[in-house]
Amino acid sequence: MSDREPVLSMAMTRREALKALTVLAGGALIVPGVLAGCGRGARGADDDHGDRALLEDIADTLLPTTAASPGAKAAGVGATVALLLADCMAVDVQQRVSDGLRAFRATCRERGGAFASLPQPEREQMLRGLDAVAQQAGGPHWFADVRELALRAYFTSEIGMTRAMRYVAIPGRWEGCLPLAPGQPAWGA
């Protein structure tokens, strides 16, 4: 080797630069999609759909349709809760809720069928009982997680924000203290 020959050629043609840039851009597009699929664990689509339906029925029992506003089912709370649970909650919370829903399904079967098929008063009684157990537990409980997610999903939905609460799209100015008449819904935003 002569001392005039370069040891390593660093020259790159435009074509090689475009190829390298294409590979990097393709990787940047593919990697997030691959990683997003990793967080779902071993749960199948059937589990997700069954849990979503049960979550929606629980949320609709907590937030039923009234004369003043549509309920949680109309607001699509079940899908939002399932999404929040899968994408925003820790794995231990996901597992706790999944185990809780499985046990809750077994309890409903002992009472005569699926939760959705039970009469409304019996569903409310079951959720009151679960709430009492969750409060007595003192620590994390799956029903407390589900209730919190259902309330969050409902009151941030369009129906919850505009029909269950008072809402003015452009209030014009911020007023931190407004009078609230007895029976008036809270302000949405």
Side-chain angles (χ1 to χ4, degrees):
M1 175 187 300
S2 72
D3 48 310
R4 292 194 162 206
E5 291 181 17
V7 176
L8 181 62
S9 175
M10 297 298 289
M12 181 181 264
T13 64
R14 183 181 305 174
R15 180 171 297 198
E16 291 169 341
L18 286 173
K19 282 182 184 176
L21 184 62
T22 303
V23 168
L24 285 173
L29 293 174
I30 292 171
V31 168
V34 171
L35 292 178
C38 294
R40 305 290 172 145
R43 297 168 46 99
D46 291 340
D47 290 342
D48 289 343
H49 183 71
D51 285 353
R52 184 182 325 154
L54 182 55
L55 288 168
E56 189 165 82
D57 291 333
I58 291 171
D60 203 54
T61 304
L62 292 170
L63 300 158
T65 298
T66 64
S69 63
K73 199 173 269 190
V77 167
T80 305
V81 168
L83 179 73
L84 289 172
L85 190 62
D87 290 351
C88 302
M89 302 307 255
V91 174
D92 62 324
V93 175
Q94 293 175 15
Q95 189 62 48
R96 182 173 52 239
V97 170
S98 180
D99 293 345
L101 290 175
R102 191 175 311 113
F104 187 64
R105 273 195 195 93
T107 303
C108 291
R109 272 188 239 113
E110 291 170 5
R111 288 190 171 206
F115 182 69
S117 68
L118 298 174
Q120 179 74 11
E122 191 170 347
R123 287 189 290 176
E124 291 174 2
Q125 181 185 12
M126 288 183 75
L127 294 187
R128 278 192 204 100
L130 269 176
D131 190 41
V133 169
Q135 289 181 9
Q136 288 175 352
H141 191 275
W142 73 270
F143 183 69
D145 297 326
V146 168
R147 183 185 54 219
E148 178 186 330
L149 289 171
L151 292 174
R152 184 180 306 170
Y154 181 75
F155 287 109
T156 56
S157 71
E158 182 179 348
I159 285 176
M161 187 70 81
T162 60
R163 302 196 43 202
M165 296 190 289
R166 293 192 65 192
Y167 179 77
V168 177
I170 303 172
R173 64 174 191 232
W174 187 81
E175 293 184 35
C177 186
L178 292 173
L180 193 62
Q184 175 186 342
W187 287 95

